[in-house]
Amino acid sequence: MRDFSYLRANSLDAARQAAALPGAMLLAGGTTLIDLAKCGVAEPDSLVDITHLTGLNSIDVNERGATIGALARMGHVADHADIKSRFPAISEALWQAASAQIRNMATIGGNLMQRTRCPYFRDPMNFPACNKREPGSGCSAMGGVTRGHAVLGTSDACIAMYPGDLAVALVAFDAIVHLGERQIPVDDFFLLPGTTPDKEHAIEPGEMITAIEIPGTAAARRSTYLKIRDRQSYEFAAASAAVGIEFEADGRTIRDLRVALGGVATKPWRARAVEDALKGKGLEPDAVRAASLLAIQGAVDHGANHYKIELAPRVVARAILRLGETA
Amino acid sequence: MTLELSLNQQPAHARQGSSIGQPLTRRDGFLKVTGAARYAADNHPPGMLYAVLAVSSIARGRVASLDVEAAKAHKGVVEVMTPQNRPALAADPDAKDHPFMFRLDLLQNDQVRYPNQSIAVVIAETLEAATEGAALLSPRYEVLPARVGLDGAESFVPRGVGVGGPAVQHKGDVEAGLKSAKTRIEATYETPAQYHNAMEPHAIVVAWDGDTLSIDTPSQGLAMAQGRIAGLFGIAPENVHIRSPFLGGGFGSKGMISGPQILGILAARLVGRPVKLVLRREQMYGPVGHRAPTRQTLRMGMDGEGRLTALDHHAKTTSSTFDDFFEPAADASHTLYASPAIATSHDAVRLDTGTPLFMRAPGEATGSIALESAIDEAAYACGMDPLEFRLRNYAEVEPMTGKPFSSKALRECYRQAAETFGWASRPLQPRLMRDADGFLTGWGMGTATFPAIMFQAEARAVLKADGSGVMETGAQDMGQGAWTAFAQIAADGLGLDIDQVDFRAGSSDLPNAGIAGGSGHTATAGMAIHNAGAAVIARLADLATGDEASPLYGAGNEGVLARGGRLYRRDDESRGESYAEILTRAGLTEIEGHGKGAPDPASQENYAKHAHGAVFAEVKVDPDFGQIRVTRLVGAFAAGRVINPRLVRSQYYGGMIWGVSFALHEEAITDRRSGRIQNANLAEYHVPVNADVPSVEALLVHEDDPHVNALGIKGVGEIGITGTAGAVANAVWHATGVRPRRFPIRIEDLLG
């Protein structure tokens, strides 16, 4: 572990200035950063501790939507009464993420910056080739242990899976990431690996996530997050789905549908093809199952992760049908 | 060491009469939950330096270069130990004088024979500097291809398996038995490599003083560790003082002192200062043992009544290229089911891994999941209920040897567990039960068994003139409750209330308590304690019955009872006096007695000794997702005398949960190109979390065993895994109709 300097920022501007310096990283809950430092992926020269900044941990919910400060803890957001009632998928995604201990420490802004669990990415000492760490160095995962790797959004350079839960729900409900003044849709905040897997987020040096805004919609109010995994807790998704639904006045025709997938893609994966196929239609189980297959259009497996292609559409279909049952 | 009990939290009922059998809470529990219990790595002698291992990236080859200068130039780094400057040893680390001496990697050369082998040690003023120094070594290697997997090398038949048992055994004619059978099954099962993953990593804090060593390190076998260290450094065993009051789990990986622990001692020698060395989690995947993978094929033949006509169990396993430990998986078929013909056999391949080792229920756990799965398949093939099938093939004598059992209450285990579980309403066919939420529901069972093993142990008992007692044995508490159970045995052995006994353990300067392993620690050290107590009481009785001033004068040894700090005449309990009175009058400040624990050769010869149990499991499986959840476990176990039912139940719970882990979670996943394990961390090497274990029940079935030892103790540490793993697998089949043949069972195995 290399020595690094530690700065406790006392204002947002000071934090952004300090974090803009080469080798600087922001420190919030630390649950990801310390982990990455221990495995040698993160080697910061300086840490800028933003946990003492005030005004960044509020959770404001009203008719128009929710605004969650970047420093709000995962656990607080998960248990917030208005989030639970107006954005159940958000609360459920958070409850099923990580462990209670981690949720109590980790912040919402930090959660968006969570990095992949690809074991090759996380082991620079033993696997020097990783395009995400060292552009152009190659990919050690392809041909290796791939059970947890992505089947959607992959490229020749990288198949690392985006592991988080919250952002899947955020993508489904068109959340907006506030980077101070600049605002960017969360779907655009996460980048596909393409030829530049090292660039994961549309955030520039000197920028900092300050808040996440989620528009209040009928679909968000009637939503759920379904996460499938071998272990009941403290495991990343084998496949997950964030789904929200709004019916027409007849109570059965789908007016609005939101579908996003987790555990299967290189970024939180909005499945608009499924949405488009079902909007304006009734909630028929067979039609839902058929439409859900569109969620894995273009999927490519790398051996052991093939099962995700089978699993993901079933998870989507179940989530949609379950929301329908609660009509 | 004496447990520093900061509170007397023993319940009042423990203070009267017998301590054995009381459900006392752990005497060390308060220390542990308050953080006051001092584990090895908590020690910090003055002047201590930090040592960090540099370990190999490759599985096979040699270290071509290390940038020692770069590491040494890093601020805070004091020294780098490599094969060039490693202090000399008095013995070759590759010598193997006996089967329990495992070859160690102690920087004897530049060869690499498995991933995460130690290739250097960096010693620094801080942990951070040592860690960075290790990274700066930037090793370069000459790499040879890694040999990986059960088909990764040419197989051979090992000379011995487990602790040296024959690799191939048989009785009767299996082929003829199969031929004559009305129904036959054959099935192959694979179990993965598993790693012990004790919560507490292997750690050592060591200080040299001339040729004497002061060591804090977790050890399941203090005297063995002491002897091994003394041999390697050419010093007298009594010059090696090891303290190990608490282990944060061991499960076999701390049975033998490991290479990294010895490297800590070498590092301290090199720098002439105390040193602390703690393994990182990922460094535990290599040099401290693991459970080897297996591929097991079982063949069974049954007659028209469902009686076995033949049982053939073959297991293929793996070892390292440089040492021998072979998981004796097929031996699980020796003891449980009656058959006129039984054959067991093993073969193995040598791979570029660390040497496998004993891991909680070595052989029994791996063998059990395959055997119990196959028994389930055989029962179904015969159209029989799995419990009925097991009772039809109930072994009245040990099948392989024909010896009578010293005791066997397995029928009662089956009965109690089945009744509690509600087994009778189980449909024979799979995939018939669904719950209100639509989950496929399945019920499965397995038989549990583990041998009642004893090693050698000694204890020393002291009675003091103030009426209190001391009991000393170098026993090891690795979480199983030794501090408490042994104190209970000591209290009864000394005829004292438990709070009048100073029980000392966990240190190598105490009498040799043998090893906390093989589920034999309570029986072995417990018998030493019992006998030491009897010896000192006999001396006390001599004093009293030979003293005309005593009310016990003339009663003779046999005519005296010891209870509550007093001796009584057996024929007249109104006549007695206190220990304090006897000793004070004799002018003695204290008297002592010694005792041993060891297996009785005659009963070894004449009886088969095993603990038994029956485990029933309920699982629910999502029909669309193949997601499995265990919802209920009921086990009933008969393991002789129960010293402390609370602790014994905890052992069964822990074992049963481990069985769930075996069936559904644990697997070290190897990158086949590099030979490296890719989930060497607790986030991705899965064991069950609390939410995976909703309901576990362990029933204690009464069993008197007059043959195992005078206390009637068998052992409870490992049996819970056996039976459970198979019960879960069988429940998955019953829920889904899909027969698991590869463990752990994953979502993709059931997606259909």
Side-chain angles (χ1 to χ4, degrees):
Chain A
M1 189 177 279
R2 293 200 308 210
D3 288 350
F4 55 83
S5 65
Y6 168 88
L7 172 76
R8 182 179 289 185
N10 52 23
S11 75
L12 194 54
D13 282 342
R16 283 194 283 229
Q17 274 177 24
L21 297 172
M25 295 184 80
L26 293 172
L27 172 67
T31 53
T32 283
L33 180 55
I34 289 169
D35 215 19
L36 291 172
K38 280 167 76 175
C39 64
V41 171
E43 293 193 310
D45 296 318
S46 61
L47 287 187
V48 183
D49 184 351
I50 56 171
T51 52
H52 296 81
L53 296 182
T54 53
L56 286 177
N57 64 351
S58 57
I59 304 169
D60 299 314
V61 187
N62 57 38
E63 283 304 315
R64 281 173 290 120
T67 302
I68 302 170
L71 290 182
R73 308 277 176 185
M74 288 172 73
H76 289 159
V77 181
D79 206 26
H80 192 279
D82 293 334
I83 296 289
K84 284 163 91 168
S85 62
R86 293 172 192 260
F87 302 92
I90 301 285
S91 172
E92 290 170 22
L94 285 164
W95 269 119
Q96 294 175 74
S99 66
Q101 293 86 345
I102 292 171
R103 292 194 296 268
N104 287 341
M105 283 300 291
T107 64
I108 292 297
N111 181 270
L112 291 193
M113 301 300 289
Q114 179 182 6
R115 312 218 46 197
T116 182
R117 296 296 302 187
C118 171
Y120 300 94
F121 167 76
R122 294 172 61 84
D123 192 359
M125 186 79 109
N126 297 307
F127 293 94
C130 173
N131 290 322
K132 192 179 274 299
R133 282 195 322 261
E134 293 288 335
S137 62
C139 173
S140 296
M142 293 183 202
V145 173
T146 56
R147 183 174 187 261
H149 284 78
V151 294
L152 288 166
T154 58
S155 71
D156 291 343
C158 187
I159 58 171
M161 182 184 85
Y162 173 77
D165 295 298
L166 169 66
V168 177
L170 295 176
V171 162
F173 301 106
D174 295 327
I176 294 159
V177 181
H178 290 224
L179 302 162
E181 299 300 302
R182 191 159 80 97
Q183 299 183 3
I184 178 168
V186 70
D187 201 10
D188 298 336
F189 180 77
F190 291 98
L191 305 175
L192 285 170
T195 56
T196 54
D198 54 309
K199 182 79 177 155
E200 294 182 349
H201 309 102
I203 187 169
E204 301 301 327
E207 284 189 318
M208 181 180 140
I209 300 171
T210 50
I212 293 163
E213 182 188 338
I214 316 158
T217 59
R221 187 181 274 270
R222 184 179 193 146
S223 67
T224 191
Y225 186 77
L226 179 59
K227 181 175 181 180
I228 301 305
R229 43 185 164 171
D230 289 301
R231 184 159 75 172
Q232 178 69 16
S233 179
Y234 196 44
E235 184 180 5
F236 299 96
S240 68
V243 171
I245 199 163
E246 180 191 4
F247 289 110
E248 300 286 0
D250 64 7
R252 55 174 306 277
T253 307
I254 298 170
R255 176 187 290 167
D256 188 12
L257 178 67
R258 309 296 185 90
V259 178
L261 277 71
V264 294
T266 53
K267 60 175 271 186
W269 196 259
R270 182 78 178 261
R272 291 184 194 277
V274 181
E275 300 172 5
D276 294 344
L278 289 170
K279 275 188 216 168
K281 306 229 169 76
L283 198 70
E284 298 298 331
D286 287 346
V288 168
R289 287 192 198 99
S292 295
L293 291 172
L294 299 171
I296 40 101
Q297 266 179 333
V300 178
D301 74 76
H302 284 78
N305 61 353
H306 176 79
Y307 79 102
K308 289 176 183 282
I309 298 176
E310 302 287 328
L311 181 61
R314 302 185 192 188
V315 178
V316 169
R318 172 80 63 83
I320 295 172
L321 291 169
R322 182 180 288 173
L323 283 179
E325 283 166 13
T326 59
Chain B
M1 305 181 81
T2 297
L3 200 61
E4 291 163 30
L5 293 169
S6 40
L7 279 181
N8 187 343
Q9 71 277 42
Q10 299 306 328
H13 62 71
R15 310 210 179 134
Q16 296 296 324
S18 175
S19 287
I20 289 178
Q22 300 292 342
L24 303 195
T25 54
R26 284 162 203 272
R27 307 175 87 219
D28 48 339
F30 186 82
L31 299 178
K32 286 180 175 172
V33 298
T34 56
R38 184 182 283 261
Y39 289 80
D42 296 332
N43 290 286
H44 198 291
M48 187 192 81
L49 297 172
Y50 295 83
V52 167
L53 294 182
V55 300
S56 70
S57 291
I58 65 166
R60 180 187 178 201
R62 63 175 283 270
V63 180
S65 73
L66 288 169
D67 195 346
V68 172
E69 291 314 308
K72 279 179 123 168
H74 187 72
K75 184 167 171 276
V77 171
V78 173
E79 186 56 276
V80 176
M81 186 166 74
T82 69
Q84 273 68 50
N85 65 344
R86 187 264 271 159
L89 289 166
D92 178 2
D94 276 320
K96 195 173 180 80
D97 298 348
H98 55 82
F100 282 103
M101 179 181 274
F102 286 86
R103 298 190 169 99
L104 302 174
D105 290 283
L106 302 177
L107 304 176
Q108 53 263 48
N109 53 48
D110 61 6
Q111 297 298 306
V112 173
R113 38 197 191 184
Y114 57 92
N116 290 346
Q117 178 192 316
S118 306
I119 57 172
V121 183
V122 178
I123 305 131
E125 299 286 351
T126 63
L127 175 63
E128 291 77 11
T131 303
E132 182 62 13
L136 290 168
L137 286 171
S138 308
R140 296 167 64 90
Y141 301 97
E142 287 172 15
V143 189
L144 291 168
R147 289 158 291 191
V148 176
L150 281 157
D151 300 309
E154 198 173 331
S155 75
F156 64 98
V157 178
R159 267 182 304 178
V161 296
V163 295
V168 178
Q169 297 188 56
H170 79 280
K171 74 149 196 182
D173 187 339
V174 159
E175 296 306 328
L178 286 169
K179 193 173 271 182
S180 71
K182 179 165 180 285
T183 310
R184 280 176 287 272
I185 62 123
E186 174 171 350
T188 299
Y189 308 89
E190 287 199 15
T191 66
Q194 301 172 344
Y195 282 73
H196 303 77
N197 269 313
M199 186 95 80
E200 176 202 31
H202 293 65
I204 188 164
V205 176
V206 53
W208 284 92
D209 180 6
D211 267 349
T212 65
L213 266 170
S214 171
I215 294 173
D216 294 283
T217 200
S219 170
Q220 292 174 242
L222 284 165
M224 272 173 63
Q226 186 186 41
R228 182 70 160 131
I229 292 166
L232 283 166
F233 288 91
I235 57 179
E238 56 270 26
N239 283 6
V240 180
H241 182 200
I242 309 174
R243 289 170 297 273
S244 183
F246 308 109
L247 286 81
F251 316 121
S253 76
K254 293 167 184 167
M256 255 58 67
I257 195 102
S258 67
Q261 286 162 296
I262 303 289
L263 287 168
I265 305 173
L266 281 162
R269 184 74 137 184
L270 181 67
V271 296
R273 285 170 65 177
V275 159
K276 177 189 296 193
L277 188 152
V278 181
L279 287 190
R280 290 168 62 114
R281 177 62 53 183
E282 68 270 22
Q283 292 177 337
M284 295 168 71
Y285 289 71
V288 298
H290 65 282
R291 196 198 300 279
T294 69
R295 181 186 297 143
Q296 304 177 53
T297 300
L298 283 106
R299 297 187 297 157
M300 292 178 187
M302 284 73 64
D303 68 14
E305 272 79 53
R307 281 189 189 82
L308 286 166
T309 58
L311 165 55
D312 180 39
H313 191 161
H314 175 76
K316 184 176 189 179
T317 186
T318 70
S319 192
S320 69
T321 57
F322 57 93
D323 211 342
D324 292 342
F325 181 83
F326 300 98
E327 180 83 2
D331 292 358
S333 286
H334 289 168
T335 51
L336 271 185
Y337 300 106
S339 172
I342 300 175
T344 59
S345 57
H346 298 83
D347 69 337
V349 294
R350 293 193 180 280
L351 303 177
D352 298 307
T353 66
T355 305
L357 203 62
F358 313 94
M359 180 162 155
R360 200 174 183 187
E364 287 85 5
T366 34
S368 171
I369 196 169
L371 174 62
E372 294 303 316
S373 294
I375 285 285
D376 205 63
E377 299 202 37
Y380 186 67
C382 294
M384 289 173 70
D385 172 84
L387 175 55
E388 184 194 352
F389 184 81
R390 284 172 172 84
L391 289 168
R392 183 72 46 87
N393 290 286
Y394 194 87
E396 302 291 353
V397 296
E398 189 178 49
M400 204 65 177
T401 62
K403 288 182 187 178
F405 290 104
S406 61
S407 61
K408 181 177 177 179
L410 177 56
R411 269 201 188 85
E412 188 59 16
C413 295
Y414 284 139
R415 194 189 65 75
Q416 288 191 24
E419 198 174 298
T420 303
F421 185 84
W423 181 257
S425 63
R426 175 187 180 272
L428 200 59
Q429 297 298 327
R431 220 179 161 93
L432 289 181
M433 299 199 296
R434 289 213 184 211
D435 73 1
D437 298 319
F439 289 109
L440 298 167
T441 303
W443 291 356
M445 69 167 295
T447 309
T449 187
F450 197 85
I453 300 167
M454 286 182 74
F455 304 100
Q456 308 275 340
E458 297 163 18
R460 172 177 176 266
V462 174
L463 286 176
K464 295 185 169 178
D466 65 2
S468 70
V470 177
M471 185 66 76
E472 295 182 332
T473 187
Q476 295 86 206
D477 193 320
M478 49 183 179
Q480 83 279 42
W483 278 115
T484 309
F486 286 144
Q488 290 176 261
I489 297 171
D492 281 11
L494 292 170
L496 289 169
D497 294 344
I498 196 165
D499 50 9
Q500 286 296 303
V501 179
D502 179 5
F503 175 63
R504 298 173 183 168
S507 177
S508 67
D509 57 3
L510 301 173
N512 178 0
I515 187 164
S519 298
H521 200 34
T522 307
T524 310
M527 278 305 301
I529 290 166
H530 174 78
N531 288 333
V536 75
I537 291 296
R539 265 208 74 192
L540 187 72
D542 274 346
L543 288 174
T545 58
D547 183 347
E548 290 180 16
S550 170
L552 298 165
Y553 178 67
N557 281 357
E558 294 304 316
V560 172
L561 291 171
R563 195 170 61 231
R566 296 176 67 83
L567 292 185
Y568 302 88
R569 285 186 74 108
R570 194 180 290 272
D571 53 2
D572 178 4
E573 293 196 21
S574 71
R575 292 169 67 189
E577 63 178 336
S578 72
Y579 299 175
E581 288 169 307
I582 298 166
L583 291 174
T584 303
R585 199 171 50 242
L588 295 169
T589 54
E590 62 177 48
I591 56 173
E592 69 176 73
H594 296 261
K596 290 188 176 178
D600 168 37
S603 87
Q604 288 292 90
E605 186 56 35
N606 297 331
Y607 294 98
K609 304 174 196 173
H610 302 275
H612 293 93
V615 182
F616 293 78
E618 177 183 84
V619 304
K620 301 208 170 178
V621 180
D622 189 298
D624 293 334
F625 307 147
Q627 182 176 263
I628 307 164
R629 297 291 181 260
V630 176
T631 46
R632 228 157 36 97
L633 288 176
V634 175
F637 300 92
R641 172 82 67 92
V642 170
I643 301 302
N644 180 322
R646 184 192 304 266
L647 296 174
V648 165
R649 256 189 214 100
S650 289
Q651 285 291 291
Y652 292 146
Y653 294 155
M656 291 165 76
I657 293 164
W658 195 308
V660 173
S661 195
F662 198 121
L664 301 183
H665 298 290
E666 279 187 71
E667 177 177 23
I669 304 170
T670 302
D671 177 286
R672 300 184 65 84
R673 304 159 302 180
S674 63
R676 295 196 64 83
I677 291 161
Q678 289 306 90
N679 57 337
N681 63 72
L682 289 180
E684 273 122 353
Y685 182 96
H686 284 174
V687 297
V689 297
N690 279 324
D692 290 301
V693 191
S695 166
V696 186
E697 201 170 337
L699 310 171
L700 310 186
V701 173
H702 181 85
E703 186 177 71
D704 289 318
D705 192 315
H707 303 297
V708 281
N709 49 59
L711 288 168
I713 300 168
K714 288 182 174 176
V716 299
E718 294 164 272
I719 187 172
I721 304 173
T722 71
T724 308
V728 172
N730 294 337
V732 168
W733 170 80
H734 191 240
T736 63
V738 177
R739 178 62 67 182
R741 292 276 172 70
R742 192 189 66 87
F743 301 100
I745 312 163
R746 298 254 193 240
I747 285 171
E748 56 264 42
D749 299 322
L750 302 180
L751 271 185

